Amino acid sequence: MKISILAAAAALMAGACSAQAANIEFWYGNTGVVEKAIQDQCAAFNAAQSEHRITCVGQGSYEVSMQKAIAAFRANKHPVLIQFFDAGTLDLMLSDAVVPVQDVLPEVKWDNYIAGARAYYETSGGKLFAQPYNSSTLLFYTNKTELQKAGITKTPATWEEIIEAARKLKASGHACPFTTDGDTWRVLEQFSARHGLPIASRHNGYDGLDAEYVFNTTFAAKHLQNLIDWRKEGLVKLNADTKAGNFTAAFNTGECAMMENSSGSYTASAKAFEGKYELSVGMAPMYEGYERHNTLVGGASIYIMRGHDKAEVEGAKAFLDFLRRPEQQMFLTAATGYVPVTNDVMDAIVKSGEANAPKYATAAVGIESMNQPRTPDTRGIRLGFYVQFRQVFMEETQKAFAGQETMQAALDNAKKRGDELLRRFEQTYKGVRMQ
């Protein structure tokens, strides 16, 4: 009888342990130095505790990760945690494949997240759907060494100052004063947000699925035409114009002197410049006469996928708690240039005595940029099939850069094709309540 009781107790204990412990998967889309940092964090989590074990699986890109996760969900073979990028936010919210992180972890102080990091991933009512993770924003990079050679001692802060500096660089013999790839995120989304301009009606879709694109009627159209004019003048180069064939590589090798790029590219630029050039990084430039607003958060956040048992969800919660720790955010910032996402991390960086260290160069400026005054039009982008729209925008504007049509015609075409995507999305989710 005594043996039976002990056996039953052991069985109950084993059952209790198995109910708490779990082996879970986390899918992500990054490669290179960011993938290395993610894998290091996964290994650190497994080493820090023995209750749960996480396997982190790279999918090669955000787009591929998103497609595979939806397919896996339909086949009931999906991971517990999935990293999705900003453009897929509405598609995922309405997919019924994920549960809001704020519902699963109600005890977390979510208001500790910086406003710029959480606004993109929360519902219209303010509930956070995903935990911001590798967050970036747009910053302005200069090769100070090359600017000084051209007699430019003050880092440009406005587009007017950039073009004045670009003309001095060209006059001094510099072949590539400023470079960009014309990417939707850089030249439309981030430009519109910080200048307080809408991309679409209904506050970029936050107020309803019946939004329509309006970017072709805003000052963004003038900026894109300016890029064409400056390129003709020899002040701006696109990917194909550079020896490197890629704007980031062209800047990192010293071929080009200025660029706008993600904070997540800082580490690669700093490493490439080491011992050769002096690098500066600051907030993305404004046009004179416009009030500065917040830039949008880029990068990606982590979602909890629906349909897993209690033990797996507990494992997911433990991993998210681990990533939220200030020391883990500081590690990711130092390793990649991504921006911290909670308010307490900047205090931790200051207390570390390394606030001015190059490895944290993007932290303060990135947070400052995302925390500028916001309007209902700069909260984020809540538009369906937005991943496909980004491709449409690139296709049309590249025709304008190639001289096949005017920039205004390209933007009008992009608006027309974009609206068709929105109506298709609206029809797909007809009757579904907007988050």
Side-chain angles (χ1 to χ4, degrees):
M1 182 68 180
K2 191 173 183 180
I3 292 175
S4 297
I5 292 173
L6 287 173
L12 283 172
M13 287 183 65
C17 289
S18 63
Q20 297 297 321
N23 293 320
I24 63 172
E25 279 195 2
F26 167 45
W27 289 8
Y28 61 88
N30 303 93
T31 58
V33 295
V34 181
E35 178 170 33
K36 171 70 167 55
I38 292 172
Q39 286 291 345
D40 286 347
Q41 287 191 304
C42 296
F45 172 75
N46 288 331
Q49 48 78 54
S50 58
E51 191 172 5
H52 306 289
R53 182 163 187 81
I54 194 161
T55 301
C56 299
V57 184
Q59 302 296 334
S61 73
Y62 290 142
E63 290 84 353
V64 170
S65 183
M66 183 173 176
Q67 292 165 3
K68 290 180 70 173
I70 295 299
F73 179 74
R74 290 169 179 161
N76 199 30
K77 295 180 179 178
H78 51 292
V80 184
L81 293 172
I82 177 77
Q83 175 213 46
F84 272 16
F85 67 149
D86 51 357
T89 301
L90 182 58
D91 301 48
L92 201 59
M93 279 182 167
L94 298 186
S95 70
D96 202 36
V98 299
V99 290
V101 69
Q102 197 161 335
D103 285 348
V104 180
L105 286 158
E107 69 281 7
V108 173
K109 295 179 179 177
W110 295 108
D111 56 0
N112 187 33
Y113 276 78
I114 62 173
R118 62 168 293 151
Y120 210 107
Y121 303 112
E122 64 186 11
T123 66
S124 296
K127 179 187 290 185
L128 202 57
F129 231 80
Q131 178 165 304
Y133 177 43
N134 55 313
S135 295
S136 62
T137 198
L138 189 71
L139 297 175
F140 178 54
Y141 292 75
T142 75
N143 183 328
K144 286 191 71 173
T145 308
E146 292 300 307
L147 264 61
Q148 288 169 354
K149 283 182 184 175
I152 304 160
T153 55
K154 177 180 175 294
T155 302
T158 66
W159 279 107
E160 288 81 359
E161 291 175 354
I162 285 176
I163 293 310
E164 182 182 349
R167 290 186 175 123
K168 287 183 179 178
L169 282 160
K170 183 185 175 186
S172 72
H174 205 292
C176 179
F178 181 91
T179 187
T180 179
D181 61 351
D183 181 79
T184 316
W185 185 73
R186 275 176 276 280
V187 303
L188 177 64
E189 298 167 28
Q190 297 288 356
F191 178 87
S192 297
R194 70 182 186 274
H195 285 82
L197 307 170
I199 289 173
S201 62
R202 305 280 278 164
H203 299 316
N204 291 340
Y206 272 77
D207 292 348
L209 296 179
D210 55 342
E212 295 182 357
Y213 285 104
V214 300
F215 58 81
N216 58 323
T217 65
T218 74
F219 187 64
K222 172 62 176 171
H223 173 59
L224 286 158
Q225 180 60 50
N226 284 345
L227 290 178
I228 287 180
D229 295 341
W230 294 334
R231 183 175 177 229
K232 288 178 180 174
E233 195 181 336
L235 307 177
V236 170
K237 287 195 173 185
L238 300 178
N239 281 338
D241 305 327
T242 64
K243 295 176 185 175
N246 174 280
F247 84 109
T248 303
F251 178 81
N252 289 349
T253 58
E255 179 185 350
C256 299
M258 299 181 284
M259 71 169 179
E260 288 181 306
N261 209 348
S262 165
S263 60
S265 70
Y266 177 82
T267 300
S269 294
K271 187 174 181 181
F273 272 36
E274 207 168 63
K276 301 175 187 174
Y277 306 110
E278 184 179 355
L279 176 66
S280 80
V281 61
M283 287 197 287
M286 297 289 298
Y287 276 92
E288 293 174 0
Y290 278 82
E291 180 186 353
R292 181 182 288 278
H293 295 282
N294 63 288
T295 50
L296 303 175
V297 67
S301 57
I302 302 177
Y303 291 81
I304 300 173
M305 298 198 77
R306 192 181 297 279
H308 290 283
D309 64 30
K310 183 179 179 182
E312 291 172 319
V313 173
E314 289 299 318
K317 290 164 64 176
F319 185 60
L320 293 175
D321 288 343
F322 180 80
L323 295 181
R324 217 167 32 249
R325 294 177 183 174
E327 62 269 26
Q328 287 303 317
Q329 293 188 51
M330 290 165 67
F331 165 79
L332 193 65
T333 295
T336 66
Y338 280 111
V339 177
V341 288
T342 58
N343 289 309
D344 55 347
V345 175
M346 279 311 300
D347 292 337
I349 289 175
V350 171
K351 288 178 181 176
S352 75
E354 296 184 291
N356 296 320
K359 63 182 180 180
Y360 295 132
T362 61
V365 68
I367 291 174
E368 181 184 7
S369 184
M370 289 193 290
N371 276 346
Q372 292 295 306
R374 66 186 61 248
T375 76
D377 288 326
T378 67
R379 185 177 181 182
I381 298 170
R382 193 55 53 82
L383 300 167
F385 294 147
Y386 196 73
V387 178
Q388 293 90 328
F389 170 75
R390 278 182 170 174
Q391 185 59 38
V392 165
F393 182 87
M394 288 295 290
E395 289 173 6
E396 294 296 339
T397 53
Q398 288 300 311
K399 290 177 188 174
F401 284 123
Q404 297 172 9
E405 59 187 14
T406 66
M407 181 55 79
Q408 189 59 57
L411 296 176
D412 291 344
N413 289 337
K415 177 249 187 325
K416 180 182 178 183
R417 293 175 62 188
D419 283 346
E420 289 171 357
L421 286 171
L422 290 176
R423 298 293 72 79
R424 191 145 55 88
F425 188 87
E426 185 180 19
Q427 187 63 31
T428 300
Y429 289 99
K430 188 176 182 180
V432 176
R433 189 173 64 85
M434 184 76 173
Q435 296 285 354

